[in-house]
Amino acid sequence: MEIEKIHCLIIGSGPAGYTAAIYAARANMKPVLYQGIQPGGQLTITTEVENYPGYPDGIQGPEMMVHFEKQAARMGADIRFGLATKVDFSAPPFKVWIDEEKLVEADSIIIATGASAKWLGLESEQRLNGFGVSACAVCDGFFFRGKEVAIVGAGDTAAEEALYLSKLCTTVHMFIRRGEMRASKVMQERVQRTPNIKVYWNTNTDEILGESKVEAVRVKNTKTGELQTIPISGFFVAIGHQPNSDIFKGWLDMDEAGYLKTVPGTSKTNIEGVFASGDVQDKIYRQAVTAAGSGCMAALDAERYLSAKGLV
Ligand code: NDP
């Protein structure tokens, strides 16, 4: 098996990974970045991004990620297609297997593998994704201002996103699969106090309706079996995210949901020389701009680590 020795390996290609690559390349760390299964990350499945500073007219998510990649490449980052499939962080240099056919030995690692939104698994949800179906109210809610929307989920994210949407939309129909919400009490109360959020208990989504864009949703009451069709323009899924951290199990500290733990205010994990940034370590903010910021932190932390060891 081919073995390659490098100073800095970045795993992941969303805003966190590319920003880390820009900073690491400019610090002469000669970073190698492996893009993973979805080059560009979650932004490549969104449409218009209007809240990333520096784009006064907004930009399409996929196009923005091409800009990130080009900027990292221009700084000298070595960007490659490939998936990290296994790691051994027992001692530096850290070992990472790529596509099970190549071994990279790196003095430092920046993890930016992101998270994936969970979906209901309906065919219509996939087909209309980006055409009224979204997993991010903060990203896409603005496009539905003055319209009726629906949201599914009952955790803190769903509650927060329902409240966010209630400020933009005429009515927010909120579908909750059980007879109670998982969200914190204070969030539940806020939801229930908001007059234009209509909560449907014991309700599952049966189908999202519309040919080329979302036009309505059909829901089913699980107690009575009653079906109901509600006209809407946007359908938001807020049933949780899955951090992409499986390959780090057993090496890095993570919470019960799999989010990597970092020392607050830094990107440091429990292993010196291994840093984490972006959504894989952030279950609260999950924005492109916060991910980019934390990618910058990881590169600066890695640079300090490498220079203290006299490696760069
Ligand atoms: P959670 O896992 O807490 O909640 C997911 C919700 O989605 C649950 O209510 C669950 O229902 C529901 N759900 C799951 N699958 C389905 C399905 N197939 N159909 C319908 N409903 C479904 O995820 P969150 O993203 O809300 O939160 C993740 C973590 O982040 C939590 O610890 C949360 O407290 C935290 N957080 C904190 C915030 C803050 O402090 N400001 C903001 C956002 C998140 P059920 O309850 O029936 O299982």
Side-chain angles (χ1 to χ4, degrees):
M1 185 181 282
E2 185 194 345
I3 300 179
E4 183 181 10
K5 292 182 192 296
I6 60 172
H7 287 314
C8 178
L9 174 66
I10 300 169
I11 311 173
S13 59
Y18 284 139
T19 305
I22 291 166
Y23 274 77
R26 292 186 85 246
N28 210 19
M29 289 151 70
K30 300 185 176 60
V32 171
L33 179 151
Y34 277 97
Q35 290 178 310
I37 219 157
Q38 191 182 3
Q42 288 189 83
L43 276 160
T44 60
I45 53 162
T46 62
T47 50
E48 183 122 22
V49 178
E50 290 187 326
N51 54 7
Y52 198 92
Y55 291 104
D57 302 317
I59 182 160
Q60 295 292 310
E63 193 188 347
M64 183 164 106
M65 294 325 293
V66 171
H67 291 178
F68 270 63
E69 180 180 348
K70 274 192 184 157
Q71 191 173 352
R74 189 168 75 82
M75 293 301 140
D78 184 346
I79 296 165
R80 303 174 186 173
F81 189 69
L83 181 68
T85 47
K86 194 172 94 169
V87 303
D88 178 346
F89 289 166
S90 48
F94 306 110
K95 296 184 179 64
V96 178
W97 282 263
I98 306 294
D99 293 321
E100 277 153 28
E101 57 194 30
K102 175 174 183 166
L103 174 60
V104 176
E105 293 190 354
D107 298 319
S108 66
I109 305 273
I110 295 174
I111 298 168
T113 46
S116 310
K118 289 188 195 160
W119 297 97
L120 296 171
L122 299 170
E123 178 277 325
S124 50
E125 170 188 58
Q126 240 185 340
R127 184 168 46 81
L128 295 166
N129 197 333
F131 301 95
V133 173
S134 165
C136 178
V138 179
C139 319
D140 298 327
F142 190 68
F143 304 116
F144 302 97
R145 59 196 187 280
K147 304 207 165 126
E148 281 196 39
V149 296
I151 186 163
V152 55
D156 279 322
T157 302
E160 216 168 71
E161 299 208 335
L163 289 164
Y164 182 86
L165 292 168
S166 73
K167 295 181 192 124
L168 299 167
C169 306
T170 50
T171 307
V172 180
H173 302 273
M174 186 172 192
F175 308 135
I176 292 171
R177 68 175 171 184
R178 291 184 294 136
E180 59 179 324
M181 286 179 79
R182 180 186 295 271
S184 51
K185 275 274 167 306
V186 54
M187 294 303 281
Q188 294 192 30
E189 279 163 18
R190 274 188 215 157
V191 164
Q192 285 173 13
R193 271 205 318 265
T194 305
N196 64 335
I197 300 179
K198 190 171 173 201
V199 173
Y200 298 68
W201 302 104
N202 304 306
T203 299
N204 272 338
T205 307
D206 196 48
E207 206 64 78
I208 305 158
L209 307 171
E211 275 303 311
S212 54
K213 62 179 176 40
V214 171
E215 284 164 10
V217 60
R218 189 172 63 229
V219 292
K220 185 179 195 171
N221 184 301
T222 53
K223 292 260 177 255
T224 62
E226 187 198 339
L227 288 168
Q228 192 179 349
T229 299
I230 305 159
I232 49 159
S233 305
F235 183 85
F236 290 88
V237 181
I239 61 171
H241 284 76
Q242 189 61 48
N244 301 319
S245 62
D246 279 359
I247 59 167
F248 309 115
K249 277 197 180 124
W251 298 107
L252 298 181
D253 289 347
M254 43 185 89
D255 72 8
E256 62 291 343
Y259 286 93
L260 298 184
K261 287 188 179 169
T262 50
V263 177
T266 78
S267 65
K268 295 175 186 173
T269 67
N270 55 302
I271 296 184
E272 212 194 349
V274 178
F275 305 91
S277 59
D279 285 11
V280 72
Q281 53 86 56
D282 171 18
K283 65 180 174 193
I284 309 275
Y285 301 105
R286 298 197 198 107
Q287 300 301 298
V289 68
T290 50
S294 75
C296 160
M297 288 165 64
L300 295 177
D301 287 341
E303 200 261 329
R304 274 182 207 132
Y305 168 81
L306 291 174
S307 63
K309 297 223 167 252
L311 292 165
V312 291

